[in-house]
Amino acid sequence: MDDPITTLDARFSDPGAAPTTWQAAVEVLENAQITWLTTVRADGRPHVTPLVAVWLDGALHFTTGPEEQKAVNLAVNPNVVLTTGTSAWDRGLDVMVEGPAVRVTEAAQLARLAGAWRGKWTGQWQYEVGDGAFRNDVGGTALVFAVDPAKVLAFGKGTYTHTRHVPRG
């Protein structure tokens, strides 16, 4: 998502507060070390788990093993929420990305994403590309998903703000 429509929800924001800019929300997504993924089980119960995500080309990307609960849930219901921020109540910015998770299988895009994972933190996330997925050095497979945001919520703390970013059109 680029250049979204940005609105402040005054009901949940300090008087006179300005909305969180799209650039500030993206910066949180780009720099997050841990992101929490919420999926929905077949019986409707939520499933939440921490993972490493990468922001690239206006979408948030994550991986999961094909047998993991995340993958099982996504096969039934692709709708997810990815959440990141800080656990402090009086400072920082929390950001939530909502949208459907779509599997990435195209080799050139997977190669770009593998490079993005390698470039994050200290380079400890090393993936190779093969058969429409990531492969790691111990022979494991990681399916790659992209979430093109249907909505992004940003919650500023200290000066409290509740900002909504949605795609244009």
Side-chain angles (χ1 to χ4, degrees):
M1 178 166 57
D2 293 315
D3 189 34
I5 298 168
T6 299
T7 56
L8 180 74
D9 190 332
R11 298 173 302 164
F12 306 111
S13 301
D14 284 344
T20 300
T21 66
W22 177 239
Q23 292 77 15
V26 167
E27 185 176 314
V28 168
L29 295 171
E30 289 175 336
N31 294 320
Q33 290 188 359
I34 292 292
T35 301
W36 293 85
L37 172 69
T38 303
T39 58
V40 180
R41 298 173 193 262
D43 65 5
R45 292 179 300 134
H47 175 260
V48 181
T49 189
L51 49 71
V52 175
V54 170
W55 180 261
L56 183 69
D57 297 336
L60 197 55
H61 300 81
F62 65 91
T63 65
T64 183
E67 315 298 313
E68 292 182 41
Q69 188 66 52
K70 299 181 289 291
V72 171
N73 296 348
L74 291 169
V76 175
N77 184 341
N79 295 300
V80 302
V81 177
L82 291 136
T83 307
T84 194
T86 176
S87 61
W89 70 271
D90 61 348
R91 64 188 174 286
L93 182 64
D94 297 333
V95 179
M96 285 115 211
V97 174
E98 297 181 13
V102 176
R103 177 116 183 260
V104 177
T105 59
E106 198 270 317
Q109 182 67 358
L110 287 170
R112 289 184 66 232
L113 287 163
W117 254 277
R118 277 191 298 276
K120 199 156 181 149
W121 307 289
T122 61
Q124 66 211 47
W125 297 95
Q126 298 291 319
Y127 292 116
E128 300 301 323
V129 175
D131 298 324
F134 282 169
R135 306 282 182 209
N136 62 31
D137 57 359
V138 293
T141 298
L143 307 178
V144 181
F145 289 87
V147 178
D148 188 13
K151 175 173 56 176
V152 173
L153 298 175
F155 299 93
K157 298 178 286 186
T159 297
Y160 296 96
T161 60
H162 177 132
T163 304
R164 177 183 170 125
H165 303 281
V166 295
R168 293 185 182 274

